[in-house]
Amino acid sequence: MTIDQITILSIIFLTFLLFIWGKFRYDIVALIALFMLFLADTFLGGDTSNLIVDSSNLFIGFGHPAVITVAAVLIISRALRNAGVVEVISRKIMPLSKYQMMHISSLSTIAAVFSAIMNNVGALALMLPVALKTSIKQKRSPSIILMPLAFASILGGMITMIGTPPNIIIATLRKTIFMDLKQVAIEDSTSKEAQYFLSQNIDPHQFIPEAFGMLDFSPVGGVIAFIGVLFIALVGWRLIPKESYKKAGTESLFSIDEYLTEIRIPNDCKLIGEKISNIKNFTDNRLLIISVIGKDEKISKPIQNHCIVEGDRFQIQADPVELKLMMDEYNIRLIKKMRERIDRLKDEDTNYREVLISPDSPLINRNRTYLRRRSSNSLTLMAVARQGKRIHKRLGEIVFRVGDVLLIQGNVDYLDDNISSLRLLPLVHRDVEVGEFSRVGISLLIFGSAIGLSMFGILPTTVSFIGAILVYLFIGILPIRELYTHIDWPIIVLLGAMLPVSDALQTTGSTQLIAEFMVSMTVGLPNWSILVFIMVLTMCLSDIINNAATALIMAPICVGIAISMNVSADPFLMAVAVGASCAFLTPIGHQCNALILGPGGYKFSDYWRMGLPLEILIVIIGTPLIIFFWPF
């Protein structure tokens, strides 16, 4: 091994450790990896090191077609949402929610179809309020609905190139990797790259590398999605532990023991004289005191035998609807500072909304002060709910996480704008502005035209999508102020920063080194078994680190394996695409999984119960499908 190979493999190893550790968000980890790559290249001597071919192009990854395409797909998703496309279709499934299996099947099928034509996270974000609303109407636990919905969104993303970032990455990397292979083969006719082209009966001089097309993923991904959704609807939901089921049919989407807020006891409060230990029974299990707020503003555990007196202040957990009733029934009051803020902002247009913190919200790892600053003091944080873990901090000290649910108050004129800019997902009430039905047709025509231009090779996918975005802007479907607000910037940074690291694997010869090692470990085994190994390994990585990062690392390695075996690289690339999209075992493996953690009331360990059988099923059906449609 050369010093360059040792260095890049060490950087990759440290990057994986940071991803798994989870202390820093994945985009920050990617920037750390890029920074380490630059420092290592400089230390080893920029002229002699192969870590970075040209240091002036260190940030060229941010202009890569994969990065631009991911951003464009997210913007188009918002345009389709504004036009009312999803709302029109979603209304059609409302009557199908009467029976449980039909409820799960209809929602999952629609989510999978949406995910095929738009980003799968965007598709889930659109369907989540519909799922919650219909589950309330049918008095059905959202826990039964949401995990199948999230998994179906992930499965649907496999159908087309634009459905999920790993497909976009694999599609574009196919072209760039083969361009590099072609250049090496032409320069050195005795190289392994030249031998590879010879084994495939390809003349490197005449060979024109191409990316995977829009529907190249469909034969494999479509069948996997169909069988996967069928499994979810018939069997999968039954594997969710019943003890994780959330209370069904409540007007508020969160049950009694989830919302945390702060109250005080006025002189006429009916709780005065009652022991803290008796409050839960006294209020018919509607209110639970979890902490006492002292005069020094610090919290402490409640003394169960303490009799409540005037002026006491507590942290409590209660459903917001029930809390409003209890405030009138028992004369409970919110703490003074919150009451003053509510009174200051309150007018006839004041409204309350329950919102979910999405994976790309700027509120993640921030607190109430940041929320106030970002909303120009137009929002009041009333309460916070966090699934699976009781919060032991004051409202002002809580650091928000993905999946937290906030009860916020504000003026209706600014509420929706703030929810949009903070990338929060409203619950119960849809935040979709339903466009005129005439816009549904024109929006689909524009999108279909962009796909057609790409499919027939008239325009590159990235360019055709940018053209669609411009048309959406010109005709008013996509307001200019929303152009960049719904781009998942952490993913963009991740891709832009990790692409040079991925390139360094190739320029240092590390991909070939890893590939030869893996081939030597599997010598004598049939080709299909190596394909299975790659798919399973990619699945495992995707469950613990970001799926886009997994695709970036695994793609060049699997091409190196194909070169060592002198077989086509396409089936291995497809195996990576499928494996990178199959993050069903943990809530951190995919944004869709993180999105439902709170609303579904799931625990970390609930995911693998349905996810593991689904991943095994995908490997069993995916392997022969890949070999059939993309032979060695």
Side-chain angles (χ1 to χ4, degrees), residues 26-38:
Y26 49 79
D27 54 321
I28 305 301
V29 173
L31 288 173
I32 292 172
L34 184 64
F35 185 66
M36 288 192 295
L37 184 71
F38 177 78

Side-chain angles (χ1 to χ4, degrees), residues 61-76:
F62 289 93
H64 194 278
V67 179
I68 306 302
T69 304
V70 169
V73 167
L74 292 169
I75 296 172
I76 289 175

